[in-house]
Amino acid sequence: MFACRSESAFVWLLALAVFVSNASFANAEKSLQPTKHSPSIAGVSIPKRGSWSERPAEIWQEAFVTGNGTLGAMVFGNPANERIVLNHERLYEPLLDSPCPVPDIASALPEVRRLMREGKYAEAYKHSFQSAVDAGFPGIQWTDPYHPACALTIDQAANVSGDVSSVRSVDFQSGEVAVQWESSGKSFQRHTFVSRGDNVIVTRVVGEPGQRVKGTVRLVNQDSRPKSKRTDQKGGGYHDPEIAAEDGWLTYHCKYTKSPRGYAVAVRSIAKNGTCESNGESLDFDCEQLVLLIAIESIENDDLSRRFTGKLKTRLSEIDADYDSLLARHADVHREMFDRVDLQLASTDNDHLSNEALIRLQKQSADEQLQPALLTKMFDMGRYTLISSSGEWPPNLMGLWNGDWRPDWSGDFTLDANVNLQISAANLAALPEAIASYDRLVMGVVGDWRTNAKNLFGCRGVLSGIRTDGRHNLNTLYSPSFPGNLWISGAQWLLLPMFEHYQTTGDVRYLKERLLPVMKEVALFYEDYLTERDANGDRMFVPSYSPENRPGNSNSPAAINATMDIACCKQVLTQLIGLKDVGGLTDEEVAHYEKLLDELPPYLVNDDGALKEWAYVALDDNYDHRHVSHLYPVWPGHEINPEDTPEWFEAAVEAARRRGRGNGSAHGLAHMALIGTRLKDADLVEGNLRFMLSRDYLLPSLFTYHNPRRIYNADMLHSLPAVVMEMLVYSRPATSQRTAEIELLPALKETPALAVGEIRGVRCRNQVTVTSLAWDFEKSEVRVKLMSPNQVPLNIRVRRGIVSAETGAGELLPVDGNSLVAIELQADKEIELTFRLR
């Protein structure tokens, strides 16, 4: 489909797209199957699992993205003057010659605690910060900022004349971005993907049979700042890049000023039946087909940069440049990962509309009712970019993609909600590769965690910093108004996805050899830290900090007994106790953890009946804030739930109901939606989904903003699939007191958009896979297929109420009064169940 720039042309395209829908949403027999073939309109193929845009990108944030986790490309899609921004996950601009050390201020802790117990919270933190300054701390230290390598430009004006119609698209199943246009009756295409097998960015430029492609290719600096602004009070900077062109090759070399690090880029061009020659600064091509192979290398010691450039050229020379073969080798791997999970909602007439059209329909719909086509596409987009940005490290604030230097918050890994939300879908979506990338990030900075614990508080064990650029997590990111050094529970939150990897996979070796030793260090820190006691003899978390909020009756965010701190401490102790047998813990270790667990302070409920953010009577709640850290025991924890802790559950429901959105940060919306899934609150989940999709958080590329229309950010994008999966499937592992459980449709609202659907491939925290879950509210029917590698007793819950349950063989199963059905899964044998609902 060629997207013309006039409104009348768009209306024609909108009408033409109707014929590819499977069925009207109003039809009683709603189809859940995608089209068997990619729709093709006006001769241009649109991916059946992907998205497309009506126009080229006007700013880099609108570019379509592709990546293999390590390398990324942002494709603007301009027929005449293409720009492809090139990214590498390790390119962070060094701000300092060496990391700022963590000041040794453990000796200040007794006075800080004395002041805080007297209610002098601001004075206590002032004393802590001044102690750091007296110890040589120069002030807040920003993480090194993430930046692009450079940009590849393709001037193809020679192939563009007269009226031009164009479309750009991305295929989620292959990772291929396409730019297709028609000019003066002639058709041209450019395709770009990032190869997993060969670790290169691949671009092909081609015309219709017999048509030559002509133009110029060059590498350019992507830093939009004037040279005078490229170093500021934060430090950093880089020397002028060295850019060279020789027949068939482009190279780009950049060296930082504050570090021996640098990076190199090499481009190999292969012209079929034609030429690609250097003109001194760029390459001129005239051929039937041009293929470009692009390699990027982050260099830890820039003295070796020339050697690295030579290595890149040698490696590129050894790659078979056949585009179709390269794509097939990559797509086989990428597609298998993407296809592990599949969501289908009822087909509508809108399923194959452009991204812009879907966003307009969502914003213009009555009461902002969810558009199933857009929700499904965002579910796919979130998984696609999570897969594409999980490499050595997991996604940072921007995923893998950035079009300028010095992005907001350095584009780093922010650890007090953001990276935690971004990785939240990985276990459920059967992406151990993403968890492996996350594991490498976390485990790579554990050494710094030990330094933080010792220097800041004189404790053994580990203490996470609040942000990292991947290379360091020394806790030096705090200021007189931002007490990042007081956040004591980051390590446990960061380990939780890795623990859930063990729960979903049953990988005991990973648990025992990789994870369990660090979990014990988390507990060891709490043991040393929790030496203060209150009048009841309970341990006190002092000082304490609930990111990034402050009590309503205090002028300081430094506080006592943040609920999140209590929840994280309880969680790691409970996990360790539960791992006694499988982890080989001694009776003495377990008794030690049980004693500490028993001495923790209880959560508190305020006068509104809401769970307090600080379990300390003297501190009041502050409701209107984007962070919801105090609901950690609801999500990502599992401690507070309607069966085991009904009173705390009701208090958590009230706390969520009263919470405001603060400044409307996208991560706050996604976080609250995830909490809503655990609170079984379908209205809360659906309301936050509608808000995210209707209020200018979506770009035409379907990438997301941090706030409406500003700050390129992947938090919402990567956590939205987790919201959808958690509202459809909730799972808990077996314990000594409880049978393993799967709950179906715990927070799915019965709206027209969600009335019928199917999801396949969701992994559960008890090693069960939901191979299929299909629902139809009009028929009051739910069908589920389950499989596990183990023989396991399992409870199935449908909280809406079960009238009857039967197996695929027609056997009726007993249903207890709590809408539970007990079954026994046989190892590696799929079981099918059908539930009739009230």
Side-chain angles (χ1 to χ4, degrees), residues 217 358 417 537 555 561 585 606 698:
V217 181
L358 287 173
N555 62 350
N561 284 4
L585 277 71
N606 65 23
L698 305 187

Side-chain angles (χ1 to χ4, degrees), residues 372-591:
L374 180 59
L375 180 60
T376 304
K377 204 168 289 289
M378 289 303 299
F379 179 84
D380 283 349
M381 174 70 174
R383 291 185 305 112
Y384 165 70
T385 50
L386 176 59
I387 291 168
S388 301
S389 58
S390 295
E392 178 188 356
W393 291 334
N396 62 23
L397 286 173
M398 311 176 81
L400 175 62
W401 304 277
N402 176 24
D404 212 348
W405 291 60
R406 300 296 177 92
D408 291 275
W409 308 297
S410 295
D412 66 9
F413 302 94
T414 303
L415 308 178
D416 64 351
N418 306 73
V419 72
N420 322 72
L421 287 162
Q422 291 213 51
I423 207 68
S424 60
N427 286 308
L428 303 175
L431 291 173
E433 299 89 348
I435 293 296
S437 72
Y438 178 79
D439 172 282
R440 284 188 287 271
L441 174 77
V442 172
M443 292 302 193
V445 295
V446 164
D448 287 351
W449 288 6
R450 298 186 184 106
T451 301
N452 295 335
K454 179 179 181 294
N455 287 16
L456 293 177
F457 297 117
C459 295
R460 297 170 295 169
V462 292
L463 174 69
S464 164
I466 207 161
R467 290 167 63 180
T468 179
D469 52 34
R471 288 179 171 86
H472 306 286
N473 192 214
L474 296 168
N475 202 337
T476 55
L477 203 144
Y478 53 97
S479 69
S481 60
F482 178 70
N485 59 320
L486 300 188
W487 190 47
I488 64 170
S489 294
Q492 174 56 22
W493 195 356
L494 290 167
L495 292 184
L496 182 58
M498 296 147 70
F499 183 75
E500 292 194 334
H501 170 72
Y502 156 69
Q503 291 180 313
T504 55
T505 65
D507 190 341
V508 174
R509 181 175 179 180
Y510 171 81
L511 170 75
K512 295 175 68 173
E513 297 181 4
R514 184 88 170 160
L515 183 57
L516 188 58
V518 186
M519 293 174 64
K520 289 183 176 181
E521 288 195 80
V522 172
L524 184 61
F525 171 79
Y526 285 124
E527 176 188 345
D528 284 4
Y529 187 76
L530 297 175
T531 57
E532 295 284 301
R533 294 182 184 265
D534 62 18
N536 298 319
D538 292 327
R539 309 259 188 164
M540 294 181 69
F541 293 78
V542 53
S544 187
Y545 173 55
S546 188
E548 298 174 14
N549 202 0
R550 69 177 64 205
N553 62 337
S554 174
N555 62 350
S556 173
I560 295 175
N561 284 4
T563 295
M564 180 184 188
D565 288 341
I566 300 171
C568 284
C569 184
K570 292 178 73 174
Q571 185 178 67
V572 70
L573 295 174
T574 302
Q575 288 172 347
L576 287 168
I577 293 167
L579 292 172
K580 178 181 184 301
D581 294 331
V582 69
L585 277 71
T586 65
D587 291 339
E588 291 75 16
E589 284 179 303
V590 171

Side-chain angles (χ1 to χ4, degrees), residues 167-189:
V167 64
R168 58 191 179 117
S169 63
V170 58
D171 188 332
F172 296 150
Q173 289 181 297
S174 68
E176 185 184 43
V177 176
V179 182
Q180 304 170 89
W181 74 94
E182 187 176 88
S183 175
S184 299
K186 299 176 182 178
S187 297
F188 300 89
Q189 300 180 5

Side-chain angles (χ1 to χ4, degrees), residues 242-255:
E242 299 176 10
I243 308 173
E246 57 184 284
D247 288 355
W249 291 94
L250 295 170
T251 56
Y252 187 104
H253 164 237
C254 183
K255 185 181 185 301

Side-chain angles (χ1 to χ4, degrees), residues 22 110 119 164 171 184-185 204 235 275 291 296 414 423 467 498 505 514 517 525 562 697 728 739 759 787 830:
N22 288 328
V164 179
D171 188 332
S184 299
R204 176 177 65 184
T275 59
V291 173
I296 309 172
T414 303
I423 207 68
R467 290 167 63 180
M498 296 147 70
T505 65
R514 184 88 170 160
F525 171 79
Y697 290 93
L728 298 175
T739 301
I759 193 166
M787 181 176 284
E830 186 177 71

Side-chain angles (χ1 to χ4, degrees), residues 42 67 80 87 119 133 175 223 231 252 340 356 390 468 499 502 510 525 628 661 665-666 675 704 726 752:
N87 300 111
V133 173
D223 191 348
T231 300
Y252 187 104
R340 290 173 194 168
E356 293 92 341
S390 295
T468 179
F499 183 75
Y502 156 69
Y510 171 81
F525 171 79
V628 279
R661 291 191 169 109
S665 297
I675 288 167
T704 51
E726 289 256 20

